[in-house]
Structure formats: C-alpha cells, structure tokens
Amino acid sequence: MTKRSSLRTLAAVTAVAAITLAGCGGARSGGDGGGASGDAEQKFTLKFSHVTTDATPKGKAALWFEEELEKRSEGRIDVEVYSNSSLYGDKDEMQAIQQNSVQMLAPASAKFTTVAPALQVLDLPFLFDSPDDIPSVAAPETEVGKAIYANKDLEAKKMKVLGLWDSGMKQIHSNNLTEKPSDMKGKKYRIQPSDVLKSQIEAWGGHAEAIAFAEVYSALQQGVIDGGENTYSNIESQKMHTVQSNIAESNHGYIGYILVVNKDFYDSLPADLQEILDKTAEDASVYNRDNATAVNDESKKAIEAEGSTEINVWTDEQRQGFKDLVVPSIYEQYRSVIGDEIIDELLANQG
C-alpha cells in the first residue's frame, strides 16, 4: 500500500463529515449526474485496491491516478492505493466494492464472470493480434465497447465503469517447450476464473485450474500446476519465471482491467468532483496504455537477462495451429452469454 496504515480510519471520519457538512452553506447542484451537494471543505477518501505490484502497468497507472486526482481535486479527494493484494485479493474484492468497503478496483475482465457475463468477451482467444488493435476494437461505440462501458449488470451491482486499462498480451509459461497444442496435453494450467479461459485451455488439451493471482507462484513452486498464461509484467513481477523453464511468446490473449468505482460513492460526490474523477480516470487510461507495452518489454528483458527461462517466439504457423482450435468454435460456444451483436462484429473483423 502507498499510504500509512493509520489513514484507514479516514473512511469513518469521512462518513461523519459528510453528515455534518450536509447542512452547511456553499452547497452546489448535483447536476445531471445526480451528484450530491457539498462545499470546498468537504473531503472524501477513495480506497483503490488491486492485486498486482506497483511495477506493473496497473500498479504504475494506479499510482499516477492517486497523485493526479489528489492534485486536481486540491486535496478534496484523498486516494489510498493498496497494491499486491494488501487490502483485498481476488476472492473478496468484488464483494468489497459492492459493499463500498473499497471505492475503486481495476480487476481483470475475467473476474467479472459471475457479475457481468458479457465481459467475458475480453477473454476470447485471439481477440487482438497486438496492443495496437485494442483502442479500435474496444472503442466505446463498438459492440465490444458497449459491453464494457454501458454494462447494465455492473450498474445493478453498484459499479460504474470509468475506463479500460491494459495489462497486455498473454504468454504461456510452463516447464516444457510449447510449440503445438499437443505439448499442453494433460498438463495443468492456471487461469483466471472464466469459463471462456477454461474452454480455451481444454481445447488445447490442457486442464484449467482457477487459482488466485497471489497464490500462483507457490502453486508453481509446489507443482500443483504445470504452468499458466499471463503478461510478461505479471510473470516477472511475481517471479513466476524463476520456477518455470519456458515461456512461449504466443500473444494468444489479452488481459484488460475494468476500472470501476462504487456507484454510491460516486453519486455522493459533488458534481465538480465527479467531473474531475471522470477526467482523471480517462487520462489514467491513456497513461496506462501508453506505458503498458514498454513495461512488458522491460519485464521480458529482465527475464531474458536472468538466464534461467527460455523464451520461444511462435511463428505465424504455430500461432495459427492454436487459433484454429478455438476460433470460431469458442466464439460460437459463448454466443448466448456474450451476445449475438458482439460475436457477429468480432467474427466479421476476424475476416
């Protein structure tokens, strides 16, 4: 975490202050967004919890967001960033934000499987060929973008979407050379909790195991699983490569983080702070995307420099061999869950 532990008591103080200040002068209209009235003396605490380290694309963007929001709000919003599962982990962060125990999260789309099933669109294999494709495919006006930014299921669970952050493209890490699907047969691979990802691994002959991010290193070290799929930055920052002899540079999937804020907290903000929060989140998304590729490149170089893990880059033919087993079959398998319009748009783009 980036704040002193004593700051955790500020949430209770904020709640009392909100009641006290509600009757004070200087109130302003809530505007079209229904923002609460307030004055320049009213302060709010925003707890931002995530599961990666500060060195990852998400970690760096969270720290940038903290600094910028505090500066732009002139200290009226105090941001507490809790990284590396120090406050909430994979298993409890969704419940925490719905209860307003934490005000902001940036979970991977796979974490929303039971909350907002359509977001599994971002788990589909070979959705993007490179990070350069992401802004156009997931733009707010596309069917994919609408599933993210105008998701009714998230709204019903008291979550408002403020942005899409990148972790980057996924690679396959293991203790064996992975060049064709048969190399994965019978082996156990860690996945995020997503039915789409489970189907993907099984289509390639492997067994999928949903394991919390913070527990992956020990599961690999103890041989509970044989490998997994993740971005270079997540592999390197969690030291997964130190217990894996091989990484296949597959770029077969994408990890996108859905930046969400608790809707009750958002609605409690004065209209001017809502605008500041919206714009800072938008700018943080740009900052994240601009830096994600560089961070992953640095992590790849660090893995190579350590010298204990071999990286093999798939040829176009090798990548196609994996793709043929999941596209369009998995897209069609999850058509009823993700939505006809989204699947039709994606398959048309696949050519």
Side-chain angles (χ1 to χ4, degrees):
M1 77 188 93
T2 65
K3 296 283 186 178
R4 296 189 302 272
S5 60
S6 60
L7 287 176
R8 298 182 183 183
T9 60
L10 284 177
V13 174
T14 301
V16 175
I19 295 172
T20 303
L21 290 168
C24 296
R28 57 172 59 88
S29 169
D32 293 338
S37 62
D39 58 44
E41 299 301 318
Q42 189 171 357
K43 298 186 186 301
F44 299 85
T45 298
L46 184 155
K47 294 182 180 179
F48 185 169
S49 175
H50 67 86
V51 302
T52 68
T53 72
D54 292 334
T56 61
K58 177 160 60 175
K60 288 179 179 289
L63 294 177
W64 186 93
F65 172 84
E66 174 187 21
E67 180 178 351
E68 285 296 312
L69 185 57
E70 290 183 344
K71 180 173 66 177
R72 296 180 188 188
S73 69
E74 298 181 337
R76 293 165 62 198
I77 301 180
D78 179 72
V79 183
E80 300 176 15
V81 174
Y82 297 87
S83 60
N84 209 27
S85 304
S86 60
L87 185 61
Y88 293 104
D90 285 335
K91 296 178 181 178
D92 49 13
E93 64 179 5
M94 283 297 180
Q95 182 177 0
I97 195 169
Q98 291 176 61
Q99 295 175 342
N100 204 19
S101 298
V102 62
Q103 287 68 53
M104 183 169 283
L105 300 175
S109 58
K111 311 288 178 61
F112 292 94
T113 294
T114 58
V115 176
L119 285 178
Q120 290 185 87
V121 62
L122 293 174
D123 299 333
L124 288 170
F126 302 100
L127 185 64
F128 311 112
D129 286 324
S130 77
D132 293 338
D133 299 331
I134 297 167
S136 58
V137 175
E141 64 272 14
T142 67
E143 294 300 329
V144 173
K146 292 173 187 176
I148 299 168
Y149 294 99
N151 194 291
K152 299 298 184 183
D153 290 329
L154 289 182
E155 186 176 345
K157 296 293 185 180
K158 298 187 176 182
M159 284 179 264
K160 176 179 175 62
V161 176
L162 295 180
L164 174 64
W165 288 8
D166 296 348
S167 175
M169 305 301 289
K170 291 189 290 188
Q171 323 303 339
I172 297 173
H173 56 87
S174 63
N175 281 320
N176 63 283
L177 186 64
T178 304
E179 296 181 313
K180 54 189 182 301
S182 60
D183 294 331
M184 299 178 66
K185 186 174 182 180
K187 295 180 174 61
K188 297 178 181 178
Y189 295 86
R190 180 264 176 178
I191 60 165
Q192 296 166 316
S194 163
D195 292 338
V196 170
L197 298 181
K198 184 175 185 291
S199 296
Q200 166 200 275
I201 295 295
E202 290 176 348
W204 294 334
H207 298 295
E209 302 283 344
I211 297 175
F213 183 67
E215 299 170 5
V216 177
Y217 174 84
S218 60
L220 291 168
Q221 186 182 45
Q222 296 167 16
V224 175
I225 52 176
D226 299 297
E229 54 167 18
N230 225 310
T231 61
Y232 276 120
S233 64
N234 283 343
I235 293 169
E236 190 266 333
S237 66
Q238 294 291 320
K239 305 299 180 184
M240 297 177 197
H241 63 290
T242 64
V243 287
Q244 300 275 257
S245 61
N246 289 84
I247 295 175
E249 186 171 304
S250 53
N251 291 325
H252 67 279
Y254 164 74
I255 296 183
Y257 300 124
I258 311 297
L259 183 67
V260 291
V261 65
N262 175 273
K263 196 171 185 305
D264 289 343
F265 171 81
Y266 182 88
D267 290 343
S268 76
L269 297 174
D272 65 322
L273 287 185
Q274 288 183 350
E275 293 176 5
I276 291 170
L277 176 58
D278 290 343
K279 182 63 168 108
T280 306
E282 179 183 342
D283 292 344
S285 298
V286 174
Y287 173 90
N288 161 263
R289 183 153 296 142
D290 287 345
N291 285 276
T293 298
V295 172
N296 279 297
D297 287 345
E298 291 169 6
S299 292
K300 178 181 177 180
K301 291 176 182 177
I303 293 171
E304 290 174 323
E306 200 161 330
S308 60
T309 308
E310 179 184 350
I311 296 176
N312 65 295
V313 180
W314 281 357
T315 64
D316 290 342
E317 291 76 16
Q318 288 171 333
R319 194 168 186 267
Q320 191 64 45
F322 282 82
K323 185 175 182 178
D324 288 343
L325 293 178
V326 293
V327 181
S329 58
I330 287 183
Y331 287 54
E332 294 293 354
Q333 182 180 345
Y334 288 92
R335 175 181 285 275
S336 63
V337 176
I338 294 172
D340 288 331
E341 295 86 356
I342 299 172
I343 296 301
D344 288 343
E345 179 181 79
L346 290 174
L347 291 179
N349 290 339
Q350 290 277 349

